[in-house]
């Protein structure tokens, strides 16, 4: 996952999406938190496609945000365990 997005409408780095989406992603739960730990965005879109806005559609301020992604991969195992990824992303405006 990238660590910087610049949602300014120029078509470059406007969306937070996986750099190379791995095969066999069945579902995911993506959440974004501000520096105080308040959830500002969530999505279940497999491609994430976050544009730097909150769930109400308002632009978030430039700064650092933290994310958590829980991914369920298709598996031959009956009870496959989800993978959790955590990190940060910087919004530059």
């Amino acid at each position: 996952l990238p660590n910087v997005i610049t949602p300014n409408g120029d078509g470059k780095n406007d969306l937070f999406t996986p750099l190379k989406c791995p095969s066999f992603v069945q579902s995911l739960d993506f959440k974004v938190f501000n520096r105080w730990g308040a959830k500002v965005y969530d999505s279940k879109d497999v491609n994430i496609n976050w544009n730097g806005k909150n769930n109400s559609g308002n632009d978030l301020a430039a700064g650092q945000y933290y994310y958590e992604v829980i991914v369920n991969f298709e598996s031959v195992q009956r009870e496959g365990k989800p993978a959790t990824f955590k990190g940060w992303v910087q919004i530059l405006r």
Side-chain angles (χ1 to χ4, degrees):
L1 294 167
N3 61 1
V4 173
I5 61 171
T6 58
N8 57 8
D10 67 356
K12 298 177 184 175
N13 298 319
D14 286 335
L15 297 174
F16 182 82
T17 60
L19 298 175
K20 289 187 176 183
C21 190
S23 300
F24 308 109
V25 172
Q26 187 175 19
S27 64
L28 65 78
D29 187 16
F30 174 69
K31 298 176 185 169
V32 178
F33 304 90
N34 65 19
R35 61 182 166 178
W36 297 283
K39 183 171 70 170
V40 295
Y41 181 79
D42 60 26
S43 175
K44 297 200 182 292
D45 179 3
V46 173
N47 295 312
I48 302 175
N49 291 322
W50 178 49
N51 59 3
K53 296 180 185 256
N54 63 17
N55 281 341
S56 300
N58 300 319
D59 287 339
L60 291 169
Q64 192 169 34
Y65 293 84
Y66 302 91
Y67 65 81
E68 176 182 71
V69 184
I70 301 171
V71 183
N72 293 298
F73 292 99
E74 292 180 13
S75 174
V76 294
Q77 296 176 347
R78 191 168 270 223
E79 297 286 330
K81 295 192 180 210
T84 301
F85 303 93
K86 296 180 180 182
W88 59 270
V89 60
Q90 184 81 26
I91 295 178
L92 300 176
R93 294 198 183 271

